[in-house]
Amino acid sequence: MLRIALKMLFGDSTKYLGLVLGVAFTTLLVNQQLGIFLGLLSRSGSAISDAVEVDIWVMDPGVETLDVVLPLRETELYRVRGVNGVKWAVPFFRGAGTVRTIDGDVEATTVYGVDDVSLIGVPQGIVVGDIRNLRRPNAVVVDEDGFRRIFPSKEFQTGLEFELNDRRAIVVAVVKASPSFSSGPVLYTRYSEALLFTNNGRNQLSFILAKSDGSRNMLKLRNDICQQIGLKAVTSNEFKRANVQFVIDNTGIPTSFGTVVALGAIVGVCVVGLLTNLFVIENLRQFASLKAIGVRNSRIIKMVFVQTGTAGIVGWAIGLGGAAAFFQFAGQGDPSFRGFYLPWYVATGSAALAFFIMLVASIIGLRRLLFIDPAIVFRG
Amino acid sequence: MEIRDSKQVLKAAPSIVACECIEKSFGKGQTRTRVLRGATFAAWEGELTYIVGPSGCGKTTLISVAGGLLTPDKGIVSVCGTELTRLPSQKLADFRLKNIGFVFQQFNLLPSLSAVENAAIPLVAQGESYGKAARRARSLLNDLGIESEATKRPSQLSGGQQQRVAIARALIHNPRVLICDEPTASLDASSGKVVMELLREKAVEPGRAVVVVTHDDRIFPLADRIAEMADGIVKN
């Protein structure tokens, strides 16, 4: 009977296509929007992810996120270094800059200043150049997307010059950095150079990056720093989560994406539910004749579930494929989409949503079928 | 053609279909309509029995009750010795699947299935493999003279061909009772005659009772027995 159920489904090609496209559209929308949303959230902590050697971030107690900083006194760095369990601690500056591209356009950039000696905090994936050359005057390291924005027509290379806050900057390396929240160019330079580039004076230390010597528990070390120095100290993972939470709490992004996802789900349920209902109504007489012949209700239920399940699986696969293709190709064409991806749990969640949609659609259909009087087959 | 009084025969010999004092109403309150008012009817194996009468006299309701599709308000319905009114709905469905075949006025074939797939449905529903059911369906379609149309969908068949597919579907599981509701009403005169002759030839056999509701007096000569209904009762 399941073969017959599938033949009934495929035989009504218009409605079959409608059911499949309804689920596919919902799946595509949910995966694409949630993928971008989660990508944006993960971008909020991109510099934290790139500073792979760092265990603990120390900052002013009022700081909640990487993007809004309250400068520390530079003497705090030495106090952190004095805490037992700290292997090393280095300064880290975060500021903004304005870059003039070779086309004459102006781009807002994020400028990170890393420790002059260790250069800790610069992303490790080198595309061209040598990070050690940061020690030269006016030297900067640029991320891939930033290079493409500043030098649109040029291949990745070092030695190119550009204007950063009215000062000459020289590219000494291009690195693979995690995409930033704003998608603008990200520049890395030495801490002392960053203060010059951003025209800031003394005591502009944004963060202190510390490494544990492994002698104590990370959480205990973090608490010790807080208690002994009087500053806020968090582990890298805690700081990443705090950045995500800051975006969720202080922007309209979750509401905006949530609304689109919810609308997609509602439209999916309505479209697929209505089409299933229409499919059942148009086949009511056929289902009634099956019941008259002696096909049990339990078998009718199985038939409907096979029909909606098949349409759901095919639609979900098409929608998921479309979303995967979007993330695969959109990032190649537009740097602002780089780093967005389709997490497995979003794909799994969309499968659950597709299942829910088809379940609702099946119930809508079965509501009529199970109570249909088989004797209607004798009516004209 | 022998016409017997159904009440007398009901008592005289065991019948495959026996409906006794059936009452059935539809609607409630002032809109309540008594369709069957104590109808008694019987059908015997090896016989083609017609139920005839004017529109609205209760013919279709009577065969719906006899086929286990409607539950009577009063009376006893017995098919192949089983009292249908005592069976729960799922057992009743199983009983119909095994013992009763239906031919409908409007064919009620599944539009997206081919002729052979439509004809195979009852066997497949009984749990038979599709391959085996399809072979049996092809053989039946061959007997009914439409094997060449086996792979066509109902929309590609004429009314007469569709009704033959419906007959094949009704006979494929070799039911003890075949119930046909106006099988010639949607057909032209010549197709209707062919279909009834086929029914007479292929369906009427020892061990099976065939009950046909019809208005079509041109096919009366094919009947073994005719039960005439009026105002919700079987007159003779």
Side-chain angles (χ1 to χ4, degrees):
Chain A
M1 290 308 284
L2 302 184
R3 175 194 171 102
I4 287 166
L6 289 178
K7 281 252 178 181
M8 285 174 77
L9 176 70
F10 299 145
D12 193 344
S13 53
T14 310
K15 272 178 215 69
Y16 171 61
L17 205 61
L19 288 173
V20 166
L21 289 181
V23 179
F25 170 75
T26 304
T27 305
L28 173 64
L29 195 69
V30 166
N31 280 290
Q32 194 252 12
Q33 289 292 301
L34 284 179
I36 290 178
F37 173 64
L38 293 171
L40 275 177
L41 289 184
S42 68
R43 281 181 172 196
S44 63
S46 56
I48 307 167
S49 304
D50 287 340
V52 288
E53 314 96 322
V54 178
D55 291 332
I56 291 174
W57 289 66
V58 183
M59 64 204 81
D60 185 276
V63 171
E64 293 178 68
T65 170
L66 199 62
D67 294 329
V68 183
V69 293
L70 293 169
L72 306 170
R73 284 175 306 179
E74 288 172 6
T75 50
E76 305 290 8
L77 174 64
Y78 305 108
R79 296 180 65 204
V80 172
R81 283 175 178 162
V83 175
N84 279 338
V86 172
K87 185 177 180 184
W88 49 252
V90 293
F92 191 75
F93 171 84
R94 186 200 180 281
T98 305
V99 164
R100 188 172 293 281
T101 71
I102 58 167
D103 290 344
D105 292 338
V106 173
E107 288 272 359
T109 65
T110 304
V111 179
Y112 290 119
V114 300
D115 179 39
D116 287 36
V117 179
S118 65
L119 303 181
I120 284 171
V122 179
Q124 303 297 303
I126 309 292
V127 179
V128 291
D130 190 337
I131 289 174
R132 287 173 298 184
N133 290 337
L134 262 187
R135 298 192 177 94
R136 293 176 184 171
N138 301 324
V140 293
V141 169
V142 190
D143 73 313
E144 285 176 300
D145 294 337
F147 188 93
R148 288 194 192 98
R149 283 173 185 263
I150 299 169
F151 307 104
S153 55
K154 297 210 181 274
E155 294 292 312
F156 290 137
Q157 57 188 282
T158 59
L160 296 175
E161 296 181 4
F162 63 98
E163 198 179 297
L164 170 60
N165 286 354
D166 288 332
R167 284 173 56 89
R168 187 173 69 112
I170 304 167
V171 177
V172 295
V174 179
V175 293
K176 288 179 187 293
S178 302
S180 65
F181 191 74
S182 61
S183 301
V186 179
L187 305 176
Y188 292 86
T189 184
R190 280 176 291 118
Y191 180 78
S192 57
E193 200 78 60
L195 297 183
L196 296 173
F197 274 127
T198 55
N199 301 317
N200 281 310
R202 296 168 56 217
N203 292 332
Q204 290 300 317
L205 182 57
S206 308
F207 299 95
I208 297 166
L209 313 184
K211 177 80 174 173
S212 162
D213 63 7
S215 64
R216 64 187 66 194
N217 179 287
M218 195 73 70
L219 297 180
K220 181 167 187 339
L221 178 60
R222 172 254 268 164
N223 291 340
D224 287 350
I225 294 173
C226 287
Q227 285 167 5
Q228 292 176 33
I229 313 297
L231 296 174
K232 181 177 178 179
V234 290
T235 65
S236 291
N237 284 336
E238 286 172 337
F239 198 30
K240 263 190 259 184
R241 284 199 294 273
N243 274 272
V244 168
Q245 196 60 46
F246 184 84
V247 173
I248 291 172
D249 293 343
N250 295 281
T251 70
I253 292 173
T255 311
S256 171
F257 280 88
T259 305
V260 173
V261 169
L263 284 176
I266 291 167
V267 169
V269 169
C270 292
V271 169
V272 175
L274 283 173
L275 281 171
T276 306
N277 199 34
L278 211 58
F279 177 78
V280 166
I281 288 171
E282 285 190 7
N283 287 288
L284 212 54
R285 209 172 175 85
Q286 280 71 39
F287 277 112
S289 62
L290 289 178
K291 286 183 79 167
I293 286 168
V295 177
R296 279 179 166 218
N297 271 345
S298 57
R299 198 161 270 191
I300 299 268
I301 292 172
K302 278 184 199 166
M303 288 175 75
V304 170
F305 275 120
V306 162
Q307 289 170 336
T308 54
T310 303
I313 289 170
V314 173
W316 177 75
I318 291 172
L320 193 65
F326 169 82
F327 287 112
Q328 178 67 29
F329 298 116
Q332 291 175 2
D334 183 353
S336 56
F337 280 110
R338 201 171 67 77
F340 291 148
Y341 67 105
L342 183 57
W344 66 267
Y345 46 86
V346 171
T348 310
S350 69
L353 178 64
F355 174 78
F356 171 73
I357 290 172
M358 301 319 290
L359 185 67
V360 171
S362 302
I363 290 169
I364 290 171
L366 286 170
R367 191 175 47 91
R368 282 175 175 276
L369 284 181
L370 295 184
F371 299 106
I372 188 179
D373 178 2
I376 68 160
V377 290
F378 282 138
R379 292 171 203 153
Chain B
M1 182 174 65
E2 180 197 356
I3 300 180
R4 291 180 281 185
D5 180 84
S6 58
K7 285 181 186 171
Q8 288 175 1
V9 175
L10 191 60
K11 288 169 186 169
S15 54
I16 293 188
V17 179
C19 302
E20 207 168 350
C21 301
I22 304 298
E23 291 189 20
K24 180 72 185 174
S25 301
F26 294 102
K28 285 179 182 172
Q30 290 186 332
T31 59
R32 184 179 168 88
T33 309
R34 284 184 74 198
V35 179
L36 296 180
R37 302 159 181 262
T40 296
F41 166 78
W44 282 263
E45 65 175 66
E47 282 191 3
L48 176 57
T49 306
Y50 283 8
I51 300 176
V52 301
S55 289
C57 70
K59 303 186 295 290
T60 298
T61 304
L62 181 60
I63 58 162
S64 297
V65 169
L69 298 178
L70 274 182
T71 308
D73 299 334
K74 278 185 185 170
I76 296 169
V77 182
S78 171
V79 177
C80 307
T82 303
E83 204 174 310
L84 300 192
T85 38
R86 288 178 183 271
L87 291 178
S89 63
Q90 296 301 312
K91 289 239 162 123
L92 189 57
D94 291 345
F95 183 86
R96 286 200 304 269
L97 183 60
K98 196 176 168 197
N99 297 292
I100 304 175
F102 293 98
V103 176
F104 310 110
Q105 180 181 341
Q106 293 183 334
F107 323 132
N108 290 335
L109 301 174
L110 300 190
S112 48
L113 302 190
S114 67
V116 71
E117 287 164 340
N118 264 295
I121 286 174
L123 272 190
V124 175
Q126 283 184 3
E128 193 62 83
S129 73
Y130 176 75
K132 210 168 177 179
R135 276 196 296 279
R136 167 92 176 117
R138 273 185 188 280
S139 160
L140 262 175
L141 293 176
N142 187 37
D143 286 351
L144 294 166
I146 50 165
E147 206 214 350
S148 58
E149 318 298 328
T151 56
K152 291 184 177 168
R153 289 186 178 190
S155 58
Q156 298 169 297
L157 301 175
S158 68
Q161 288 170 330
Q162 288 188 57
Q163 197 58 297
R164 286 193 235 183
V165 175
I167 292 170
R169 181 178 65 181
L171 293 176
I172 193 166
H173 54 306
N174 206 18
R176 301 279 320 273
V177 179
L178 181 64
I179 294 176
C180 310
D181 181 40
E182 304 273 10
T184 60
S186 302
L187 307 176
D188 59 57
S190 61
S191 300
K193 190 161 182 286
V194 170
V195 163
M196 279 314 299
E197 283 170 354
L198 273 171
L199 258 182
R200 165 99 237 170
E201 183 189 334
K202 305 294 180 189
V204 180
E205 59 181 43
R208 178 184 297 144
V210 181
V211 180
V212 176
V213 164
T214 186
H215 279 106
D216 191 350
D217 53 8
R218 290 167 303 182
I219 60 171
F220 283 4
L222 293 169
D224 293 314
R225 201 164 59 84
I226 296 178
E228 193 181 341
M229 281 192 76
D231 296 329
I233 55 168
V234 179
K235 288 165 71 179
N236 60 57

